[in-house]
């Protein structure tokens, strides 16, 4: 830890290209970033409450407050500043606000605040954090989820230590498949259940049963909820299966769907006649397009509203009149907000939803709709993370906040440009983005960083990225693209890597580099490549196939698919959906797709960078590759980020460290040219 801290401090002080220019973005600016999340508009459409997230330089963690802003942009002010509040939700009549916050004992509780007086009360007193809380339509009750631990039967009965004795910690006995999770570590034994509590406070009552975990509830009338759950007896080995259930408050459970595939996000219409939900018929493909469905309240008459959209429909929400639904979806690197009628007619409402991923330009974002027909959503662009915006269908969205104007408005940013090019493999059109350094001069030549996204079923796009901006501030042109396998281009494009990943996506990436080189402002002798997770896979695959890059940083990769499938926390999913069989049944298929197979070809100086608590792509993957490179005598380094999971940049200092180590490695070999 002392070595890590020392090297980090050195990186923060060292000049790196344009990082030495005080007018440009620098590492410590990470702590100045803010973003808006979870904007909730009041039923009357006049006020938006949202979670304002900033970075605390003393605790090195994000810190949250609830703020409000009027729909016309006025009266922007704090509402709740203590207890790290989150997930605000208006009561149906708009007179109260529910949210979760930490009490004086350090436990998360459900809170209710009366808007007119500011009086606030904790309505739960639970030992496990409540989640997914929703008001009943009459505002009388609140349903929520909470984890309920269970005691495992001891495998062996052993003597207890004498009083005062200091024995070793007891053994941890594991008998289930899913026993640890990235970001959480070893999982406690138990299940997530549904609870109901009076909106004025009282005893929370558990209404679900069984050794299964239950998803977020949605009220169906005032005496029942609907939710999604995987209640299959073999649920651990069937991760892609779930159904929509109806549960009365007296405990009567009814399955409303019954198909092979995930059914999720059930949302009853205002009159209770219909239930909207998302899902698809599972065909065990790596990428399957999520459709938006509507069925009768009893589960009959299910039909897809989006059979021709060929994009993933997410976060459905009914309009107040029950005649249409709002939803969001990713399309060609943009997250869009739309409305769809029960006849399937789609109306675009807003683009550029997102901005919650500060590190890299991934999709995301959220929205809410008022009874008055006004929607609030998180708005982003390459120039800023998420701000609050509102829109009325048919009108132009209005941005209400500029949370980073003090920082990003005072420093020049890298300019982003969208472009399309053809892959050398088969002429497939591929979308990409070029970010040039501040004060860019097209008559000069710059070094290039190819930054590859993870997933692999994910997408980059027209969104803010602090990592990309810091690379640009350091004098690099940055290229990021959506090679085949990326989402937001439909089922065929996404499944072009089904059981052949990595392969032709590599050609897409190299064609993108070639397309930028044709513009003349990138030095072909100063090419660098990096990527994380699935991008780490492709980075390692790239340097196993070409020596055109002067240096590479392989972040949190999969190096050996067989060892990954048997050590990752998503083993049941990846082994069934990403491969045609298990490793012991067809090891050669796993080996042919493993970057480790190509390590004998590598001549590129390579850094590995992974969190020591990563259980998604465990540290053992990076160690295999590093040791292989060392045995071959290839210049290499292994950077281990203590106490960091797969999301290395979750803490501000780790985001700085990630960028700092990448730039230090590239600068080292750029200086040697």
């Amino acid at each position: 830890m002392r070595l890590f801290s020392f090297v980090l401090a050195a990186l923060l002080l060292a000049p790196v290209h344009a990082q030495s220019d005080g007018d440009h973005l620098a590492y410590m600016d990470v702590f100045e970033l803010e973003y808006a999340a979870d904007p909730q508009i009041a039923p009357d459409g006049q006020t938006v409450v949202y979670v304002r997230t900033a970075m605390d330089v003393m605790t090195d963690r994000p810190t949250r407050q609830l703020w409000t802003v009027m729909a016309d942009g006025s009266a922007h002010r704090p509402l709740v500043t203590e207890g790290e509040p989150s997930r605000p939700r208006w009561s149906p009549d708009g007179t109260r606000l529910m949210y979760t916050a930490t009490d004086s004992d350090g436990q998360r509780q459900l809170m209710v605040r009366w808007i007119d007086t500011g009086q606030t009360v904790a309505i739960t007193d639970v030992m496990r954090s409540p989640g997914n809380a929703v008001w009943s339509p009459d505002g009388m009750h609140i349903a929520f989820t909470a984890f309920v631990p269970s005691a495992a039967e001891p495998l062996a009965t052993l003597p207890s230590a004498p009083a005062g004795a200091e024995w070793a910690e007891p053994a941890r006995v594991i008998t289930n498949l899913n026993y640890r999770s990235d970001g959480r570590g070893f999982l406690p034994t138990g299940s997530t259940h549904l609870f109901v509590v009076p909106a004025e406070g009282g005893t929370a009552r558990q209404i679900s049963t069984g050794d299964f975990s239950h998803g977020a509830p949605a009220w169906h009338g005032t005496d029942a909820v609907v939710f999604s759950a995987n209640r299959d007896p073999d649920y651990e080995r069937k991760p892609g299966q779930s159904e929509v259930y109806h549960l009365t408050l007296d405990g009567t459970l009814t399955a409303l769907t019954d198909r092979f595939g995930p059914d999720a996000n059930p949302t009853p219409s205002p009159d209770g006649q219909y239930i909207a939900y998302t899902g698809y018929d599972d065909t065990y493909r790596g990428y399957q397009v999520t459709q938006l469905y509507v069925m009768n309240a009893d589960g009959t008459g299910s039909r897809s509203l989006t059979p021709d959209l060929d994009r993933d429909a997410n976060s459905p929400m009914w309009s107040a009149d029950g005649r249409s639904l709002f939803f969001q979806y990713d399309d060609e690197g943009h997250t869009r907000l739309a409305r769809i009628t029960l006849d399937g007619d789609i109306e675009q409402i807003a683009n550029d939803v997102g901005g919650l991923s500060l590190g890299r330009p991934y999709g995301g974002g959220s929205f809410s709709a008022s009874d008055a027909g006004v929607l609030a959503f998180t708005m982003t662009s390459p120039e800023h993370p998420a701000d609050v915006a509102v829109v009325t269908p048919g009108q132009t969205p209005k941005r209400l906040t500029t949370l980073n104007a003090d920082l990003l408005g005072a420093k020049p940013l890298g300019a982003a440009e969208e472009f399309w090019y053809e892959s050398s493999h088969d002429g497939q059109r591929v979308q990409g983005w070029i970010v040039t350094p501040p004060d860019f001069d097209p008559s000069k030549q710059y070094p290039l960083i190819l930054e590859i996204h993870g997933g692999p079923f994910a997408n980059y796009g027209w969104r803010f990225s602090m990592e990309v901006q810091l690379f640009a501030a350091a004098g690099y042109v940055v290229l990021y693209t959506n090679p085949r396998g990326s989402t937001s281009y439909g089922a065929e494009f996404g499944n072009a890597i089904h059981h052949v990943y990595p392969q032709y996506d590599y050609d897409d990436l190299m064609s993108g580099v070639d397309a930028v080189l044709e513009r003349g402002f990138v030095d072909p002798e100063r090419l660098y490549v990096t990527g994380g997770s699935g991008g780490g896979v492709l980075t390692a695959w790239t340097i196993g196939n070409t020596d055109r890059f002067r240096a590479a940083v392989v972040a949190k990769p999969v190096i050996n698919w067989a060892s990954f499938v048997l050590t990752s926390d998503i083993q049941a999913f990846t082994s069934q959906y990403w491969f045609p069989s298990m490793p012991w049944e067809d090891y050669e298929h796993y080996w042919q797709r493993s970057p480790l197979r190509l390590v004998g070809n590598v001549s590129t100086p390579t850094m590995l960078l992974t969190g020591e608590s990563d259980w998604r792509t465990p540290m053992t993957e990076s160690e295999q590759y590093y040791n292989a490179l060392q045995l071959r005598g290839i210049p290499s380094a292994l950077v281990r980020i203590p106490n960091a999971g797969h999301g290395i940049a979750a803490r501000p200092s780790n985001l700085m460290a990630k960028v700092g180590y990448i730039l230090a490695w590239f600068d080292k070999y750029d200086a040697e040219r």
Side-chain angles (χ1 to χ4, degrees), residues 132 134 143-145 192-195 207-209 212-220 224-231 242-249 251-257 263-268 275-277 295:
N132 303 303
V134 287
F144 64 93
T145 60
T192 299
H193 281 283
L194 300 171
F195 292 80
I207 60 173
S208 61
T209 60
F212 308 101
S213 286
H214 303 77
W219 285 91
H220 188 220
V225 295
V226 292
F227 61 93
S228 173
N230 184 344
R231 292 176 60 92
S242 61
E243 308 296 345
V244 173
Y245 290 91
H246 181 276
L247 177 63
T248 62
L249 298 191
T252 301
L253 181 68
T254 305
L256 300 181
T257 60
D263 295 323
N265 303 308
T267 308
I275 295 174
Y277 64 101
M295 62 181 169

Side-chain angles (χ1 to χ4, degrees), residues 541-606:
W541 189 264
T542 293
I543 60 177
N545 279 282
T546 181
D547 61 358
R548 71 188 304 187
F549 295 95
R550 293 187 62 82
V553 176
V554 178
K556 51 187 181 184
V558 175
I559 294 301
N560 182 335
W561 285 110
S563 59
F564 162 76
V565 160
L566 298 176
T567 57
S568 174
D569 66 342
I570 53 173
Q571 66 279 63
F573 181 83
T574 52
S575 62
Q576 297 180 74
Y577 290 82
W578 291 6
F579 293 90
S581 55
M582 295 295 174
W584 54 88
E585 296 170 340
D586 189 2
Y587 179 78
E588 186 61 23
H589 183 94
Y590 283 76
W591 182 243
Q592 286 299 315
R593 292 167 56 184
S594 295
L596 187 60
R597 179 178 66 85
L598 303 176
V599 73
N601 300 338
V602 176
S603 59
T604 305
T606 302

Side-chain angles (χ1 to χ4, degrees), residues 328-331 333-338 347-354 364 377-381 389 391 395-398 462-463:
Q328 66 184 51
Y329 66 96
D330 286 358
D331 178 43
H334 293 262
T335 302
R336 308 190 191 278
L337 183 58
E347 173 192 6
Q348 298 292 327
I349 296 176
N351 299 319
D352 302 324
V353 180
F377 66 98
T378 52
M379 173 185 278
T380 190
S381 79
V391 63
Q395 299 183 14
T396 301
K398 179 178 182 179
W462 190 254
R463 310 173 183 115

